[in-house]
Amino acid sequence: MINKIILASRKSRVLAYMIDYAVLGVVSVPLMMLMIMAEENEANAPIFLLFLVLFLLYALKDAAKGQSVGKRLLGIGVRKQENYAEIPSISKLVFRNLTQILGFIEFIVLAVNKDKQRLGDKLAKTVVVKLE
């Protein structure tokens, strides 16, 4: 039996994005508060380190089977454009996440693209599909 591939809806993608940012907030705010409460004079180095760690967490958020926390909760995942059965390489997953620095442009491209891809997906040759 051949399973039909269904692209993830724009609504589920945006909701997964919001969940991912909420998770990042839940992780980062308490750590930030601890650093502020420590009242260290040399707080710049730990804060920079915290931002670096959070940046890496966000860049690698899809590294586990092509799914972030939000995508996992919604049953969607990132796959290769040329083969929906394959998970893209870590470098492609990181690259597609780094393009989100373009912010609103990503949402515009997602809104108008017929294949429901954002700019990062198009450049990394990935799609987000509904998983079984």
Side-chain angles (χ1 to χ4, degrees):
M1 180 175 166
I2 298 174
N3 295 332
K4 183 178 178 189
I5 300 298
I6 300 171
L7 294 174
S9 70
R10 289 173 180 90
K11 181 179 172 182
S12 65
R13 292 195 62 181
V14 170
L15 186 55
Y17 178 82
M18 292 169 62
I19 291 169
D20 292 338
Y21 266 96
V23 168
L24 195 61
V26 167
V27 170
S28 64
V29 170
L31 292 174
M32 219 34 133
M33 295 304 292
L34 285 172
M35 288 182 162
I36 290 169
M37 290 178 3
E39 296 181 1
E40 294 180 3
N41 290 336
E42 297 176 23
N44 290 338
I47 288 175
F48 173 75
L49 185 60
L50 173 65
F51 281 119
L52 181 63
V53 168
L54 294 174
F55 175 78
L56 288 173
L57 283 174
Y58 192 79
L60 293 167
K61 70 183 176 85
D62 297 320
K65 298 181 181 179
Q67 293 181 291
S68 62
V69 173
K71 287 181 186 74
R72 187 172 303 273
L73 289 172
L74 295 171
I76 60 178
V78 183
R79 296 297 181 259
K80 289 183 175 182
Q81 182 175 313
E82 68 273 3
N83 183 351
Y84 292 174
E86 289 186 36
I87 299 168
S89 67
I90 298 287
S91 61
K92 290 232 184 216
L93 292 169
V94 167
F95 176 73
R96 71 179 288 283
N97 286 335
L98 292 180
T99 63
Q100 289 185 347
I101 198 165
L102 300 173
F104 194 65
I105 293 170
E106 285 281 57
F107 283 107
I108 292 170
V109 174
L110 176 62
V112 300
N113 185 272
K114 68 177 176 58
D115 292 324
K116 302 176 185 173
Q117 292 173 295
R118 57 181 181 79
L119 185 59
D121 289 316
K122 292 181 76 57
L123 294 173
K125 295 185 169 98
T126 60
V127 292
V128 179
V129 298
K130 184 91 175 124
L131 302 173
E132 293 182 9

